Amino acid sequence: PVCSIAFEAEIEENTVMKRPPRPIRSRLFSRAILTSGMMEGVVVLIAAIIVFLAIGKMGNGSDHARAVAFATLIFGNVGLILTLRSRTEPLWSFFRRPNPALLWIGFVLIILSGIVLYVPVVVDIFHFEPPHGKDLALSMIVAALSMIGFELAKVVRKRKYRYT
């Protein structure tokens, strides 16, 4: 739902008219689209699992590791939203083509994540231990690294749509 709100307010890419049209008899959700979506989710899940295991190996409890893994899922999903804004433009094109809906979603996400990770009553419900700044930095770095493959795929895709 968050992605759909952000993407509905998205401006078309410059390369939209350079792409061939989808065949009229093609399915709305092709095998390639479903595979891509599954792969994106699995990559973020693997990133969260890696962080969970790493935090656990550092001698932290499972409540702490769970909170940091949750933060990694949040950052990973934000990374996916930013990455999937365009098929060909890099993630940082956000600054050239701002999306007001995405800014509001980001603001609300920060507030809600802060509540889940730091408000004692809510922390107890989720069995979290509030993460430290270095833990959040680790979450952001791992989430960002998990987006590299998707960004590299855009470089290849952009060359495909470029006129020669």
Side-chain angles (χ1 to χ4, degrees):
V2 173
C3 290
S4 64
I5 294 169
F7 295 147
E8 285 177 8
E10 196 63 48
I11 298 169
E12 293 84 12
E13 298 175 60
N14 293 335
T15 60
V16 72
M17 295 305 289
K18 295 177 183 179
R19 288 185 228 141
R22 194 176 73 189
I24 197 163
R25 296 209 184 269
S26 67
R27 295 180 179 196
L28 182 59
F29 295 108
S30 67
R31 179 175 284 182
I33 288 172
L34 291 174
T35 302
S36 174
M38 296 282 260
M39 188 172 63
E40 292 154 359
V42 166
V43 166
V44 172
L45 176 63
I46 290 170
I49 290 170
I50 288 170
V51 167
F52 178 81
L53 295 173
I55 295 293
K57 285 194 184 232
M58 291 178 191
N60 297 296
S62 62
D63 289 355
H64 189 79
R66 231 185 341 271
V68 181
F70 176 78
T72 305
L73 281 174
I74 298 296
F75 293 132
N77 280 305
V78 168
L80 281 177
I81 290 170
L82 294 174
T83 295
L84 297 174
R85 287 182 69 208
S86 169
R87 291 174 150 198
T88 56
E89 294 299 316
L91 181 131
W92 53 87
S93 69
F94 174 76
F95 299 106
R96 290 192 306 251
R97 293 183 358 197
N99 179 334
L102 191 55
L103 292 173
W104 278 105
I105 290 168
F107 176 73
V108 169
L109 189 64
I110 289 169
I111 300 296
L112 292 176
S113 297
I115 290 170
V116 169
L117 292 171
Y118 294 104
V119 173
V121 173
V122 183
V123 167
D124 290 342
I125 292 170
F126 285 96
H127 299 283
F128 285 166
E129 181 183 309
H132 308 293
K134 65 180 180 173
D135 299 324
L136 294 178
L138 174 67
S139 292
M140 284 187 225
I141 290 167
V142 171
L145 289 173
S146 70
M147 297 299 119
I148 289 175
F150 303 125
E151 287 297 309
L152 291 175
K154 287 182 186 183
V155 172
V156 172
R157 213 176 285 126
K158 188 168 187 165
R159 288 183 184 156
K160 180 179 174 182
Y161 297 128
R162 189 179 295 158
Y163 283 127
T164 55

